[in-house]
Amino acid sequence: EEDHSRPAEPQPAHLTPEEARTIASWDRDLDALTGELLRARQTVTDVPLPATLTASQLLRLAEDPDGLAQELARPMPRPPQPAARRGTRFHAWVEARFEELTLPLLEPDELPGSDAEIADERDLEALKGAFERTEYARRTPYRVEAPFQLTLAGRVVRGRIDAVYRHGDGDETTYEIIDWKTHRARTADPLQLAVYRLAWAEQQGIPPESVTAAFLYVRSGEVVRPERLPDRAALERLLTGETESTHEAT
């Protein structure tokens, strides 16, 4: 007598060779996806620090080394940033007031004003008016958008200095570096000026003590001159102390 109390055992499916190959490919895909998921969930990933950094990346290293490591490990294209384009236009406008130069082709991180907080065209015009009220509107810079390449701890740091002013002649010559800031808050990192100061001093073959550096917050007209800017040794410790060979991204 037949026992109907238990369900019948499933019969093995009979697969064609094509179906077997398809299922095998699915298994391989699942294995690959599982491996990728496990790697993505790892808490530590070794990321080599590039031999060449932009000045912005060096500042990022000091402020948020893990964030920089993640950006280096998985770079993402930046979305269009109208405020950044207006910031670049502001720098070009300041430059054009003093000499007929055109902005060179730069990488996104090198664009002057790429971190600007300029809301719209009206705000841009207001910013120009604010600059006209500063003391620097009546002073002619010695250099604008001055490129530099500084070697620190075996790595090259590249960037551009907004404006350099020259004072005096001969052995009495000194220089003043000014970085335009269009931010509404005083959030600029003095480390930026330290890099600029050292780069300009070494480029000119003069002691860093002959170079001063300041931020001009254009909106308010306030000039901020940080004291005791880090020297070469301190800047190199930033690189060797944080990431001698690799950096950890969490």
Side-chain angles (χ1 to χ4, degrees), residues 85-154:
R85 288 196 297 271
R86 285 187 287 270
T88 301
R89 286 171 53 195
F90 171 77
H91 280 70
W93 172 80
V94 173
E95 179 182 333
R97 294 179 82 263
F98 302 108
E99 52 186 305
E100 293 298 326
L101 295 176
T102 56
L103 284 175
L105 183 63
L106 303 176
E107 295 297 322
D109 284 343
E110 296 179 308
L111 285 173
S114 59
D115 58 349
E117 296 177 357
I118 303 176
D120 50 31
E121 292 295 321
R122 179 179 297 180
D123 194 23
L124 176 57
E125 292 304 314
L127 202 60
K128 292 178 182 179
F131 179 81
E132 295 285 8
R133 293 189 290 273
T134 71
E135 62 180 283
Y136 292 95
R138 295 174 293 280
R139 295 173 56 187
T140 301
Y142 176 67
R143 292 284 188 273
V144 290
E145 297 300 333
F148 70 83
Q149 186 166 292
L150 177 66
T151 301
L152 290 171

Side-chain angles (χ1 to χ4, degrees), residues 15 19-35:
L15 303 177
E19 291 171 336
R21 283 196 295 271
T22 299
I23 291 176
S25 71
W26 291 345
D27 290 339
R28 288 193 298 271
D29 290 344
L30 286 173
D31 288 341
L33 290 171
T34 301

Side-chain angles (χ1 to χ4, degrees), residues 8 51 74 85 92 104 134 146 156 162 174 184 199 218-219:
R74 186 167 293 185
R85 288 196 297 271
T134 71
V156 176
D162 284 351
T174 60
R184 289 170 172 79
V218 178
R219 294 181 185 276

Side-chain angles (χ1 to χ4, degrees), residues 10-11 35 52 64-65 68 75 82 86 99 102 106 115 122 124 137-138 157 162 182 185 187 196 199 216 241 250:
Q11 296 299 314
T52 301
D64 183 10
L68 175 63
R86 285 187 287 270
E99 52 186 305
T102 56
L106 303 176
D115 58 349
R122 179 179 297 180
L124 176 57
R138 295 174 293 280
V157 179
D162 284 351
T182 57
T187 56
Y196 290 178
L216 170 61
T250 56

Side-chain angles (χ1 to χ4, degrees), residues 145-198:
E145 297 300 333
F148 70 83
Q149 186 166 292
L150 177 66
T151 301
L152 290 171
R155 290 184 169 83
V156 176
V157 179
R158 295 182 296 108
R160 289 182 177 267
I161 302 170
D162 284 351
V164 181
Y165 294 84
R166 181 175 176 172
H167 307 283
D169 294 306
D171 294 338
E172 301 300 319
T173 300
T174 60
Y175 296 91
E176 179 184 19
I177 288 171
I178 296 294
D179 189 75
W180 322 122
K181 290 302 180 189
T182 57
H183 299 153
R184 289 170 172 79
R186 287 178 47 177
T187 56
D189 189 342
L191 183 63
Q192 180 183 7
L193 295 181
V195 173
Y196 290 178
R197 174 175 175 260
L198 179 64

